[in-house]
Amino acid sequence: MTPFAIAGVQMHVAALHSNVEAMRHRIDVLMARFPWTQMVLFSELAPYGPLDRYALPFPNDALYQFQEDAKRYGIWLIPGSMFERTESGLIKNTSVVINPQGEIVAKYSKMFPFRPYETGVTAGTEFCVFDVPEVGRFGLSICYDIWFPETTRQLTSQGVEVLLHPVLTGTTDRDAELAIARATAAQFQCYVFDVNGLAAGGVGRSCVIDPAATVLHQSAGQEDMFPIEVDMDMVRRQRETGMKGLGQVLKSFRDRDAEFSVYDRTSGADAYLHTLGALEMPAKGSRRGQAALDPRAALGHVERPDIQPHNFSVFHGKTGAD
């Protein structure tokens, strides 16, 4: 067994003032209560909240303070994320990984800002994979990233065993996001640590899921600190023998016969996507999409979308009208 204790911190996040001291206080409390914790993960945008007007250059004073905390307690620390203002003036949603020596060893900017709602935020293009010596390989994604399985596919194809996933979800799609988190653990045979905030930081309901899609912990709607010991040997065995001795999904993907032309932007396989409207905020009373053509008509495959053609079956090598 290769055990490693990771603690998520679900806490109230304010939008109009710094939460840095509150985060540091919770680190102190966490380490007093659970001194065996080896890694601490906060929610997305926990230090300064969800308003990009508080974007800061990297590095900054808040990061220096978190580096001191990591070194003092000898822990790995991912202090959520914060809006970063780059030298060129761009704003990114960026997280860092701080090792027990207080060094920033990795940096990651959210690949899929929650557009069209997160306007003005530039997407990152680099993946984040880092190793904990004598433990295993970790990957970082932020909130909406997990809705795109390609992000986790890239990480786990490089050997990531634990997906660290800080989120800020305060909307009605939290149920869907939790379902996606659980499916991600099963699809990619990895642990998922999904840490949400409270108040301006989200609706809570953080969760930890193991590679067999078992929910190891589910927070409610109040503050919570939840250290969970993961077992990397379990990940490695399941990737060889399958989830519960069944699906060996990573190896099945590796040994696939199909290639996916949709990922070649010049192939035309994504032509339907280009018939959809602009990625923009719905307007009040909007009727967008109500009169949209069905995919066949949008692609010019039928002349009269109101006339339905016969359905045909090709099961078991048989072709004919239903």
Side-chain angles (χ1 to χ4, degrees):
M1 180 178 182
T2 308
F4 189 73
I6 307 170
V9 179
Q10 175 176 289
M11 60 173 276
H12 283 82
V13 174
L16 298 177
H17 61 76
S18 169
N19 301 289
V20 172
E21 285 305 314
M23 293 171 67
R24 300 186 73 197
H25 171 69
R26 283 160 179 79
I27 293 172
D28 291 339
V29 173
L30 171 69
M31 297 310 298
R33 293 182 63 195
F34 309 111
W36 42 273
T37 298
Q38 295 164 277
M39 177 180 284
V40 180
L41 173 65
F42 284 87
S43 60
E44 179 187 16
L45 299 175
Y48 290 101
L51 303 179
D52 61 18
R53 72 178 74 160
Y54 298 114
L56 293 171
F58 277 37
N60 53 61
D61 288 342
L63 292 179
Y64 294 143
Q65 293 177 78
F66 290 131
Q67 288 177 263
E68 292 175 4
D69 293 332
K71 186 175 181 179
R72 179 167 68 254
Y73 288 112
I75 57 173
W76 292 81
L77 177 59
I78 299 91
S81 68
M82 64 180 77
F83 285 119
E84 173 191 13
R85 188 178 299 278
T86 69
E87 292 182 358
S88 61
L90 299 177
I91 293 176
K92 296 184 176 183
N93 185 342
T94 301
S95 183
V96 299
V97 178
I98 305 170
N99 71 12
Q101 290 73 48
E103 303 162 333
I104 294 177
V105 296
K107 179 181 175 183
Y108 173 72
S109 294
K110 187 176 183 178
M111 286 192 168
F112 287 92
F114 191 45
R115 294 171 180 159
Y117 293 88
E118 280 187 351
T119 57
V121 179
T122 299
T125 57
E126 300 294 327
F127 291 91
C128 179
V129 176
F130 67 97
D131 293 333
V132 174
E134 300 180 3
V135 177
R137 180 156 284 192
F138 293 71
L140 186 59
S141 69
I142 299 176
C143 202
Y144 200 38
D145 290 339
I146 203 173
W147 287 66
F148 302 87
E150 295 84 356
T151 61
T152 311
R153 173 77 69 196
Q154 182 82 14
L155 295 173
T156 53
S157 293
Q158 296 178 66
V160 163
E161 299 167 298
V162 178
L163 179 66
L164 303 169
H165 186 235
V167 306
L168 191 169
T169 301
T171 46
T172 54
D173 56 352
R174 182 59 176 156
D175 275 337
E177 190 169 71
L178 290 171
I180 291 169
R182 191 175 180 198
T184 295
Q187 286 178 302
F188 300 105
Q189 297 178 303
C190 64
Y191 283 97
V192 175
F193 276 74
D194 180 281
V195 180
N196 199 11
L198 296 168
V203 295
R205 300 173 67 193
S206 301
C207 65
V208 180
I209 307 151
D210 78 5
T214 301
V215 177
L216 302 179
H217 177 76
Q218 176 77 72
S219 300
Q222 68 277 344
E223 293 216 351
D224 195 11
M225 298 177 180
F226 43 97
I228 302 290
E229 189 177 81
V230 300
D231 179 8
M232 300 302 193
D233 288 347
M234 174 187 175
V235 179
R236 295 159 194 168
R237 176 162 173 79
Q238 275 201 184
R239 287 179 170 180
E240 285 294 340
T241 64
M243 187 180 81
K244 301 180 180 180
L246 301 170
Q248 299 177 27
V249 290
L250 296 189
K251 289 191 285 184
S252 293
F253 180 79
R254 178 199 66 195
D255 297 345
R256 68 190 182 279
D257 293 320
E259 295 299 332
F260 299 102
S261 57
V262 69
Y263 294 119
D264 176 2
R265 297 191 190 205
T266 65
S267 70
D270 63 348
Y272 168 68
L273 301 183
H274 295 281
T275 72
L276 302 177
L279 179 59
E280 60 188 17
M281 194 90 71
K284 185 181 295 184
S286 171
R287 295 182 179 275
R288 282 180 52 190
Q290 290 187 342
L293 297 176
D294 74 30
R296 299 161 304 150
L299 292 169
H301 293 172
V302 294
E303 295 182 3
R304 291 276 309 277
D306 55 315
I307 298 177
Q308 300 298 315
H310 289 294
N311 293 321
F312 288 86
S313 171
V314 293
F315 296 114
H316 307 296
K318 178 182 178 182
T319 302
D322 288 345

Short mmCIF file of all heavy atoms in Angstrom, two decimals, residues 30-60:
data_model
loop_
_atom_site.label_atom_id
_atom_site.label_comp_id
_atom_site.label_asym_id
_atom_site.label_seq_id
_atom_site.Cartn_x
_atom_site.Cartn_y
_atom_site.Cartn_z
N LEU A 30 -6.73 22.91 10.53
CA LEU A 30 -6.64 21.59 9.91
C LEU A 30 -5.43 20.82 10.42
O LEU A 30 -5.54 19.65 10.80
CB LEU A 30 -6.57 21.74 8.39
CG LEU A 30 -6.27 20.48 7.58
CD1 LEU A 30 -7.44 19.51 7.64
CD2 LEU A 30 -5.93 20.83 6.14
N MET A 31 -4.29 21.47 10.46
CA MET A 31 -3.07 20.77 10.85
C MET A 31 -3.04 20.47 12.35
O MET A 31 -2.36 19.54 12.80
CB MET A 31 -1.84 21.56 10.42
CG MET A 31 -1.71 21.72 8.91
SD MET A 31 -1.88 20.17 7.97
CE MET A 31 -0.50 19.22 8.60
N ALA A 32 -3.77 21.27 13.14
CA ALA A 32 -3.89 20.96 14.57
C ALA A 32 -4.80 19.75 14.78
O ALA A 32 -4.53 18.91 15.64
CB ALA A 32 -4.42 22.17 15.33
N ARG A 33 -5.86 19.67 13.99
CA ARG A 33 -6.82 18.56 14.15
C ARG A 33 -6.34 17.29 13.48
O ARG A 33 -6.54 16.18 14.00
CB ARG A 33 -8.17 18.96 13.55
CG ARG A 33 -8.90 20.07 14.28
CD ARG A 33 -10.24 20.35 13.63
NE ARG A 33 -11.13 19.18 13.71
CZ ARG A 33 -12.24 19.04 12.98
NH1 ARG A 33 -12.57 19.97 12.08
NH2 ARG A 33 -13.00 17.99 13.11
N PHE A 34 -5.74 17.43 12.31
CA PHE A 34 -5.35 16.26 11.51
C PHE A 34 -3.89 16.40 11.09
O PHE A 34 -3.59 16.63 9.90
CB PHE A 34 -6.25 16.14 10.28
CG PHE A 34 -7.73 16.20 10.58
CD1 PHE A 34 -8.49 17.30 10.19
CD2 PHE A 34 -8.35 15.17 11.26
CE1 PHE A 34 -9.84 17.36 10.46
CE2 PHE A 34 -9.72 15.21 11.54
CZ PHE A 34 -10.46 16.31 11.14
N PRO A 35 -2.97 16.27 12.02
CA PRO A 35 -1.55 16.53 11.72
C PRO A 35 -0.94 15.54 10.75
O PRO A 35 0.17 15.77 10.25
CB PRO A 35 -0.88 16.44 13.10
CG PRO A 35 -1.81 15.60 13.93
CD PRO A 35 -3.18 15.91 13.44
N TRP A 36 -1.66 14.46 10.44
CA TRP A 36 -1.17 13.46 9.50
C TRP A 36 -1.45 13.85 8.04
O TRP A 36 -1.07 13.13 7.11
CB TRP A 36 -1.76 12.09 9.80
CG TRP A 36 -3.23 12.11 10.15
CD1 TRP A 36 -3.78 12.30 11.40
CD2 TRP A 36 -4.34 11.92 9.26
NE1 TRP A 36 -5.16 12.26 11.33
CE2 TRP A 36 -5.52 12.02 10.03
CE3 TRP A 36 -4.43 11.68 7.89
CZ2 TRP A 36 -6.79 11.88 9.47
CZ3 TRP A 36 -5.69 11.55 7.33
CH2 TRP A 36 -6.86 11.64 8.12
N THR A 37 -2.11 14.99 7.82
CA THR A 37 -2.41 15.46 6.47
C THR A 37 -1.11 15.79 5.72
O THR A 37 -0.21 16.42 6.25
CB THR A 37 -3.30 16.71 6.52
OG1 THR A 37 -4.55 16.36 7.15
CG2 THR A 37 -3.57 17.27 5.14
N GLN A 38 -1.04 15.37 4.47
CA GLN A 38 0.16 15.58 3.65
C GLN A 38 -0.04 16.54 2.48
O GLN A 38 0.93 17.05 1.93
CB GLN A 38 0.66 14.22 3.13
CG GLN A 38 1.12 13.30 4.25
CD GLN A 38 1.22 11.85 3.79
OE1 GLN A 38 0.22 11.13 3.76
NE2 GLN A 38 2.43 11.42 3.43
N MET A 39 -1.29 16.76 2.08
CA MET A 39 -1.61 17.69 0.99
C MET A 39 -2.92 18.38 1.32
O MET A 39 -3.84 17.75 1.85
CB MET A 39 -1.71 16.94 -0.34
CG MET A 39 -2.12 17.81 -1.54
SD MET A 39 -2.21 16.86 -3.09
CE MET A 39 -0.48 16.67 -3.50
N VAL A 40 -3.02 19.68 1.00
CA VAL A 40 -4.23 20.45 1.26
C VAL A 40 -4.68 21.13 -0.03
O VAL A 40 -3.87 21.75 -0.74
CB VAL A 40 -3.99 21.51 2.37
CG1 VAL A 40 -5.27 22.31 2.62
CG2 VAL A 40 -3.52 20.84 3.66
N LEU A 41 -5.99 21.02 -0.32
CA LEU A 41 -6.57 21.58 -1.53
C LEU A 41 -7.74 22.47 -1.18
O LEU A 41 -8.67 22.05 -0.48
CB LEU A 41 -7.04 20.44 -2.46
CG LEU A 41 -7.83 20.82 -3.71
CD1 LEU A 41 -6.96 21.62 -4.68
CD2 LEU A 41 -8.36 19.55 -4.40
N PHE A 42 -7.71 23.73 -1.66
CA PHE A 42 -8.81 24.67 -1.49
C PHE A 42 -9.60 24.77 -2.80
O PHE A 42 -9.20 24.25 -3.83
CB PHE A 42 -8.29 26.05 -1.09
CG PHE A 42 -7.86 26.16 0.34
CD1 PHE A 42 -6.56 25.81 0.72
CD2 PHE A 42 -8.73 26.61 1.32
CE1 PHE A 42 -6.15 25.92 2.05
CE2 PHE A 42 -8.34 26.71 2.64
CZ PHE A 42 -7.05 26.37 3.02
N SER A 43 -10.72 25.50 -2.74
CA SER A 43 -11.60 25.64 -3.90
C SER A 43 -11.11 26.71 -4.87
O SER A 43 -10.26 27.55 -4.55
CB SER A 43 -13.03 25.98 -3.43
OG SER A 43 -13.04 27.19 -2.71
N GLU A 44 -11.69 26.69 -6.05
CA GLU A 44 -11.36 27.66 -7.10
C GLU A 44 -11.61 29.09 -6.63
O GLU A 44 -12.65 29.39 -6.02
CB GLU A 44 -12.22 27.36 -8.33
CG GLU A 44 -12.00 28.30 -9.50
CD GLU A 44 -12.99 28.07 -10.63
OE1 GLU A 44 -14.03 27.41 -10.41
OE2 GLU A 44 -12.73 28.57 -11.74
N LEU A 45 -10.66 29.98 -6.89
CA LEU A 45 -10.76 31.41 -6.61
C LEU A 45 -11.00 31.71 -5.13
O LEU A 45 -11.53 32.78 -4.77
CB LEU A 45 -11.87 32.05 -7.47
CG LEU A 45 -11.63 31.95 -8.99
CD1 LEU A 45 -12.82 32.51 -9.76
CD2 LEU A 45 -10.36 32.67 -9.40
N ALA A 46 -10.58 30.79 -4.26
CA ALA A 46 -10.77 30.99 -2.82
C ALA A 46 -10.04 32.22 -2.27
O ALA A 46 -10.60 32.94 -1.44
CB ALA A 46 -10.35 29.74 -2.05
N PRO A 47 -8.81 32.53 -2.69
CA PRO A 47 -8.09 33.63 -2.03
C PRO A 47 -8.75 35.00 -2.17
O PRO A 47 -8.78 35.78 -1.21
CB PRO A 47 -6.71 33.61 -2.71
CG PRO A 47 -6.54 32.19 -3.15
CD PRO A 47 -7.91 31.78 -3.60
N TYR A 48 -9.30 35.32 -3.36
CA TYR A 48 -9.83 36.67 -3.57
C TYR A 48 -11.24 36.68 -4.17
O TYR A 48 -11.74 37.75 -4.53
CB TYR A 48 -8.89 37.48 -4.47
CG TYR A 48 -7.59 37.83 -3.77
CD1 TYR A 48 -6.43 37.11 -4.04
CD2 TYR A 48 -7.54 38.85 -2.83
CE1 TYR A 48 -5.24 37.41 -3.38
CE2 TYR A 48 -6.35 39.16 -2.17
CZ TYR A 48 -5.21 38.43 -2.45
OH TYR A 48 -4.04 38.72 -1.79
N GLY A 49 -11.87 35.52 -4.28
CA GLY A 49 -13.23 35.49 -4.76
C GLY A 49 -13.36 35.54 -6.27
O GLY A 49 -12.37 35.54 -7.00
N PRO A 50 -14.61 35.63 -6.76
CA PRO A 50 -14.89 35.41 -8.18
C PRO A 50 -14.81 36.64 -9.07
O PRO A 50 -15.17 36.55 -10.25
CB PRO A 50 -16.33 34.88 -8.14
CG PRO A 50 -16.95 35.59 -6.97
CD PRO A 50 -15.85 35.71 -5.95
N LEU A 51 -14.37 37.79 -8.56
CA LEU A 51 -14.35 39.00 -9.37
C LEU A 51 -12.94 39.25 -9.91
O LEU A 51 -11.99 39.38 -9.14
CB LEU A 51 -14.81 40.20 -8.54
CG LEU A 51 -16.20 40.07 -7.92
CD1 LEU A 51 -16.53 41.31 -7.09
CD2 LEU A 51 -17.27 39.85 -8.99
N ASP A 52 -12.84 39.34 -11.24
CA ASP A 52 -11.50 39.47 -11.83
C ASP A 52 -10.90 40.86 -11.65
O ASP A 52 -9.77 41.11 -12.02
CB ASP A 52 -11.49 39.04 -13.30
CG ASP A 52 -12.40 39.89 -14.18
OD1 ASP A 52 -12.78 41.01 -13.77
OD2 ASP A 52 -12.74 39.43 -15.30
N ARG A 53 -11.66 41.78 -11.04
CA ARG A 53 -11.09 43.10 -10.74
C ARG A 53 -9.94 42.99 -9.73
O ARG A 53 -9.13 43.89 -9.60
CB ARG A 53 -12.16 44.04 -10.20
CG ARG A 53 -12.61 43.71 -8.78
CD ARG A 53 -13.65 44.67 -8.23
NE ARG A 53 -14.95 44.44 -8.83
CZ ARG A 53 -16.09 44.88 -8.26
NH1 ARG A 53 -16.06 45.55 -7.14
NH2 ARG A 53 -17.24 44.63 -8.84
N TYR A 54 -9.89 41.86 -9.02
CA TYR A 54 -8.85 41.65 -8.02
C TYR A 54 -7.68 40.83 -8.57
O TYR A 54 -6.89 40.26 -7.81
CB TYR A 54 -9.43 40.97 -6.78
CG TYR A 54 -10.49 41.81 -6.10
CD1 TYR A 54 -11.82 41.39 -6.07
CD2 TYR A 54 -10.17 43.03 -5.52
CE1 TYR A 54 -12.80 42.17 -5.46
CE2 TYR A 54 -11.15 43.82 -4.91
CZ TYR A 54 -12.46 43.38 -4.88
OH TYR A 54 -13.42 44.15 -4.29
N ALA A 55 -7.58 40.74 -9.88
CA ALA A 55 -6.48 39.98 -10.50
C ALA A 55 -5.14 40.57 -10.08
O ALA A 55 -4.97 41.78 -9.96
CB ALA A 55 -6.62 40.00 -12.01
N LEU A 56 -4.17 39.67 -9.85
CA LEU A 56 -2.84 40.06 -9.40
C LEU A 56 -1.78 39.45 -10.30
O LEU A 56 -2.00 38.38 -10.88
CB LEU A 56 -2.60 39.57 -7.97
CG LEU A 56 -3.44 40.19 -6.86
CD1 LEU A 56 -3.21 39.42 -5.55
CD2 LEU A 56 -3.07 41.66 -6.68
N PRO A 57 -0.63 40.07 -10.39
CA PRO A 57 0.50 39.42 -11.08
C PRO A 57 1.01 38.27 -10.23
O PRO A 57 0.80 38.22 -9.02
CB PRO A 57 1.54 40.54 -11.19
CG PRO A 57 1.22 41.47 -10.05
CD PRO A 57 -0.27 41.43 -9.89
N PHE A 58 1.65 37.32 -10.89
CA PHE A 58 2.30 36.20 -10.20
C PHE A 58 3.80 36.38 -10.32
O PHE A 58 4.28 36.73 -11.40
CB PHE A 58 1.89 34.87 -10.84
CG PHE A 58 0.58 34.32 -10.37
CD1 PHE A 58 -0.49 35.14 -10.09
CD2 PHE A 58 0.41 32.95 -10.20
CE1 PHE A 58 -1.70 34.63 -9.68
CE2 PHE A 58 -0.80 32.41 -9.78
CZ PHE A 58 -1.86 33.26 -9.53
N PRO A 59 4.58 36.13 -9.25
CA PRO A 59 4.14 35.81 -7.89
C PRO A 59 3.59 37.05 -7.19
O PRO A 59 3.67 38.16 -7.72
CB PRO A 59 5.42 35.32 -7.22
CG PRO A 59 6.51 36.01 -7.95
CD PRO A 59 6.05 36.14 -9.37
N ASN A 60 3.02 36.85 -5.97
CA ASN A 60 2.44 37.96 -5.22
C ASN A 60 2.51 37.64 -3.73
O ASN A 60 2.91 36.54 -3.33
CB ASN A 60 1.00 38.23 -5.67
CG ASN A 60 0.14 36.99 -5.63
OD1 ASN A 60 -0.05 36.38 -4.58
ND2 ASN A 60 -0.39 36.59 -6.79
#
